[in-house]
Amino acid sequence: MTTTIDPTARRVPPLGGFNLTVLRIELTRMLRNRRTIVFTFVFPAALFLAIGSSAGTQERVGHGNVAAYIMVSMALYGAALTAAAGGAMVATERAMGWSRQLRLTPLHPAVYISMKALIALILGAVAILVVNVVGLVQNKASMPTTVWVECAVLTLVCTMVFAALGVFVGYLVPGENAMQILGPGLALLSFLGNVFIPLDSGSTLWDIAAWTPMFGVAEVSRAPLTGELPWYAVVNAVAWLAVFVAGAAWRMSKDTARV
Amino acid sequence: MDLLSVPDDRATAGAPASPSTAAAIRLRGVTKDFGAVHAVRGIDLTVVPGEIVAFLGPNGAGKTTTLDVLLGLSHATTGTAEVLGLQPRQAIARGLVAAVMQTGGLLKDLTVRETVTYMASLFADTQPIDAVLEHAGISDLANRKVGKCSGGEQQRLRFAIALLSDPALLLLDEPTTGMDVEGRRAFWAAIRADAERGRTVLFATHYLEEADQYADRIVLMRKGRIVADGTGSQIRALAAGRTVRATLEGADPDALSRIDGVESVEVRGDTVLVHAKDTDPVARYLLNETSAHDLEITARGIEQAFLALTGDHGDDDTTATLEGEPR
C-alpha cells in the first residue's frame, strides 16, 4: 500500500456485485443460527410426524395417500417459514446499519435483495428435503416418484411468495419483531390455507380461507398428487406473489432516501 | 462583513489541473430539504486530492446530511455533488469512496474474517484480505465473532473494511472518539501517510482542537451553511482575538478602528470596547495618546470564538470576519 492512488484505474464489479462468496457466507451464517435450524429442520418434520402418524393416513387421495398429502403440506409450511425468516433478516440487518454499510460498496440494492431471496429459497429447499426424507424413512406416504418430485419442485416455486412476504414484513416492522409477526401469522395462514387440517369445502370459513395467501400455493403444491388444480388457486398464488413483491419493492424504494 | 471563505479556484492552485486530478470533492450550490426543514442551505466546497479537511460544527449544522450527499445516500434537493469528477454513486461503485461511521454497520454473528471477506467480494479490486487484517492489527481476531469484539476492535474492523478498496476519498465521522492520546496520535500518523499518497480525508468532528491539530483545512458549518473555511492558523487567529476595555471620555472610534488588527469598536458612554486580533497596539495607543484609564484586556477563548461562529444568534446571515494571512 505504498503506490500513489489513481482514481482513473478503478473498475466496477460485474453483475452489480453478485457473487458466490456472499452466498456461501450467508448460508454458513444461517445454518449456524439455532433458530433457523429449528424452523428449517426440526419443526416441520416434527409436525409432520405428529399429524401424519394419526389414523386414516393410508386412505387414498388422488394419485397417493393421505400421508403423502400431509407430507407435501408440511414441507410447504416448513419452507414458507424458513423463507420468510430468511427474507425478514433484511430487517435485522437494516436495524444494525449493515444495509447502510452495504450501500457504501458497489453492491446494487436489487442484487442484495436477489441474493437474500436466493438464500431464502435454498433454505426453503432444505426444509422441503428434510420433510421428504423423514416421510421416506417413515414409509407411510405413498405416491409415484414423479409425483413426489413434481410436488417438491412446485412447493419450492411457491416458497418464493413467502420469501417476498418476509422481505416486505421485514421492511415494515422494525428489527427483531418481524419474526414475532411472521411466526404466528404463518401458522394462522396455514390453518386457513388447508395446510394443517382440511376445511369443509363450501363452508363460510372455506369461503374466507380461499382468499388467504397460503390457500393458493397449497393447492398448487399438491396438484400433482390430487390431480386437480382449481383456477382460483392459481390466481390466488400469483396475486399474492405480486402483492408481496410489489410491497417489498415499494418499501425498499422508500428506504433508499435514508438508509 | 466579509465571509471567510476560500475561493473555488483553489483546486487549480493546489494541484495542476489535469483529467486525472479532478477535485476530490466538488459541491456546487448544494441544498437539502427534509419536508419543511432546510438541513443544508447552499454549500459550495472544493477539496483537492490529498487534502485533510475537518468538518466542524454543532449537531444539526448539516454535517451528516452533507456527508450523505457525498456518499450518494441521499440526493441534493438542488445543486450538484461530484466526487473525483464522478457522480457519488459512480465513485462508490468503483470503490473510490469509503466511510467509517461511529457505530453499527457490522453483523454480530459473522466472524471478523467473514466480515472482511464478505465486503471484499463486493469490489472489483481489493487488497489481499490477510494484508488488510494485518494492517488493521486484527489478524489475531480473525476467527472471533464480531459481537464478541470490544468497541475498539470493532472500530478497527470498520477501518479495515473502509480501506479494503484503497479509497481515494475517506469520510470519517468522529473518528477518534474513545481513543486515548497515543492511539489518536498513531491514527493520525497513518491517515497522514495515506494522504501523502493522494488520499483525501474529510472528517466530521466536534473538537476544534483536533481539527486544528490534524487537518490542513477547517470548514465550519452552522445551520446548513459554511460560515468559515480556512487553515488551522486562520481559524486560531479568529479564536485568539482579545478585547480591550477602558474608561475614556470622548473616545474617537474612527481613530481606534484605524489601528492595525482592530475588528470592531464599541463605545458605551464612558466605556470603550475594542475587539482586536492583536491588542498591544490598541493598549499602547490608549495609554500613550489618550487619557484612557482602568485598562482591562480579556482573551476570547477558543470555545467562545467557536460558539460565536457556530452558535445560534437567531440571525441566519451572521458571518464571521477573518483577516487571516493569505494561505
Side-chain angles (χ1 to χ4, degrees):
Chain A
M1 309 229 317
T2 48
T3 46
T4 313
I5 296 171
D6 179 10
T8 57
R10 300 304 174 84
R11 297 176 298 148
V12 180
L15 304 171
F18 179 91
N19 71 86
L20 296 177
T21 305
V22 167
L23 288 183
R24 178 178 58 76
I25 294 175
E26 286 279 14
L27 267 182
T28 326
R29 179 178 166 226
M30 289 293 271
L31 295 176
R32 270 201 307 244
N33 187 329
R34 212 168 286 130
R35 195 158 69 168
T36 317
I37 298 298
V38 171
F39 278 150
T40 312
F41 298 93
V42 184
F43 194 48
L47 213 56
F48 165 62
L49 285 174
I51 300 177
S53 302
S54 51
T57 52
Q58 291 308 313
E59 279 172 40
R60 305 277 322 155
V61 174
H63 306 294
N65 62 4
V66 170
Y69 186 96
I70 295 173
M71 187 185 75
V72 175
S73 299
M74 284 309 134
L76 173 66
Y77 174 66
L81 204 52
T82 305
M89 278 183 74
V90 172
T92 324
E93 296 184 359
R94 246 183 99 235
M96 294 173 95
W98 181 250
S99 329
R100 188 186 162 97
Q101 188 75 54
L102 290 176
R103 291 283 283 152
L104 303 181
T105 72
L107 180 64
H108 195 282
V111 174
Y112 166 65
I113 295 296
S114 309
M115 287 204 280
K116 283 281 160 197
L118 202 57
I119 306 280
L121 278 183
I122 293 171
L123 289 169
V126 173
I128 294 167
L129 198 69
V130 167
V131 173
N132 277 279
V133 166
V134 170
L136 214 57
V137 171
Q138 194 200 26
N139 204 21
K140 277 186 180 171
S142 145
M143 54 181 159
T145 312
T146 48
V147 173
W148 204 304
V149 173
E150 281 166 24
C151 282
V153 171
L154 274 177
T155 306
L156 184 59
V157 172
C158 290
T159 302
M160 281 195 283
V161 176
F162 300 97
L165 173 68
V167 174
F168 183 29
V169 173
Y171 270 107
L172 226 48
V173 186
E176 301 270 346
N177 297 330
M179 253 346 265
Q180 276 147 25
I181 289 181
L182 283 170
L186 281 177
L188 179 68
L189 290 178
S190 298
F191 271 112
L192 289 172
N194 255 338
V195 173
F196 292 154
I197 41 164
L199 302 172
D200 288 333
S201 181
S203 67
T204 316
L205 187 59
W206 192 93
D207 286 341
I208 297 167
W211 292 91
T212 59
M214 195 67 102
F215 188 91
V217 289
E219 290 283 335
V220 171
S221 302
R222 291 181 306 231
L225 173 65
T226 57
E228 48 190 64
L229 184 58
W231 62 269
Y232 51 83
V234 179
V235 171
N236 176 305
V238 173
W240 279 111
L241 177 64
V243 166
F244 293 148
V245 168
W250 168 60
R251 291 312 306 174
M252 272 169 60
S253 67
K254 289 271 170 194
D255 198 45
T256 50
R258 179 94 196 215
V259 184
Chain B
M1 277 185 155
D2 243 345
L3 172 65
L4 163 70
S5 64
V6 179
D8 241 11
D9 60 10
R10 53 196 310 278
T12 47
S18 82
S20 63
T21 52
I25 295 172
R26 191 185 293 275
L27 296 174
R28 286 201 201 99
V30 167
T31 68
K32 178 69 187 175
D33 299 340
F34 296 102
V37 180
H38 307 296
V40 175
R41 294 161 181 259
I43 283 187
D44 293 289
L45 180 69
T46 303
V47 176
V48 297
E51 214 171 2
I52 299 180
V53 178
F55 224 30
L56 204 63
N59 287 330
K63 290 176 298 182
T64 309
T65 309
T66 308
L67 290 187
D68 278 359
V69 169
L70 281 173
L71 290 167
L73 292 173
S74 66
H75 291 284
T77 308
T78 61
T80 57
E82 261 179 34
V83 175
L84 300 145
L86 300 165
Q87 300 288 316
R89 291 306 316 169
Q90 290 179 327
I92 296 264
R94 284 166 176 77
L96 286 169
V97 188
V100 180
M101 299 297 149
Q102 255 192 92
T103 55
L106 297 171
L107 293 177
K108 290 188 171 64
D109 55 336
L110 288 184
T111 66
V112 168
R113 178 184 289 278
E114 279 171 339
T115 306
V116 176
T117 310
Y118 189 125
M119 285 298 174
S121 76
L122 303 173
F123 293 92
D125 306 286
T126 53
Q127 312 286 324
I129 286 154
D130 284 315
V132 168
L133 291 173
E134 185 68 46
H135 188 71
I138 48 176
S139 292
D140 47 336
L141 307 173
N143 296 317
R144 191 179 294 178
K145 289 270 170 64
V146 171
K148 292 216 160 60
C149 292
S150 72
E153 289 163 349
Q154 291 187 3
Q155 192 63 0
R156 270 187 271 168
L157 175 57
R158 284 191 198 94
F159 268 98
I161 292 170
L163 297 181
L164 264 175
S165 66
D166 197 14
L169 171 63
L170 186 59
L171 303 178
L172 308 168
D173 189 14
E174 303 281 342
T176 58
T177 304
M179 283 189 199
D180 56 22
V181 179
E182 204 47 53
R184 203 168 282 214
R185 198 166 297 153
F187 171 82
W188 283 113
I191 291 286
R192 176 65 61 187
D194 284 339
E196 270 153 29
R197 295 174 47 232
R199 176 173 298 148
T200 312
V201 179
L202 179 69
F203 67 102
T205 181
H206 287 109
Y207 304 110
L208 183 63
E209 203 190 318
E210 183 165 45
D212 179 26
Q213 226 167 337
Y214 299 108
D216 300 325
R217 177 178 168 195
I218 299 172
V219 173
L220 268 138
M221 277 194 81
R222 183 175 77 89
K223 289 183 145 194
R225 286 202 176 90
I226 292 175
V227 291
D229 180 348
T231 62
S233 59
Q234 284 176 314
I235 301 285
R236 231 189 358 263
L238 189 69
R242 287 184 193 166
T243 302
V244 184
R245 184 193 181 106
T247 308
L248 173 62
E249 281 171 42
D252 178 2
D254 290 335
L256 282 163
S257 304
R258 278 195 296 273
I259 300 171
D260 212 25
V262 169
E263 286 164 0
S264 72
V265 179
E266 255 181 85
V267 181
R268 295 179 192 161
D270 283 350
T271 304
V272 61
L273 288 147
V274 182
H275 303 281
K277 202 175 66 165
D278 181 4
T279 46
D280 290 349
V282 180
R284 201 169 289 125
Y285 167 81
L286 284 170
L287 292 173
N288 290 343
E289 317 281 330
T290 72
S291 59
H293 51 98
D294 293 340
L295 208 72
E296 201 179 285
I297 301 177
T298 49
R300 185 161 52 174
I302 280 184
E303 289 308 311
Q304 227 177 321
F306 179 56
L307 282 174
L309 279 172
T310 60
D312 190 349
H313 303 294
D315 172 11
D316 282 355
D317 296 320
T318 306
T319 51
T321 307
L322 182 76
E323 295 168 21
E325 61 271 36
R327 302 193 65 201

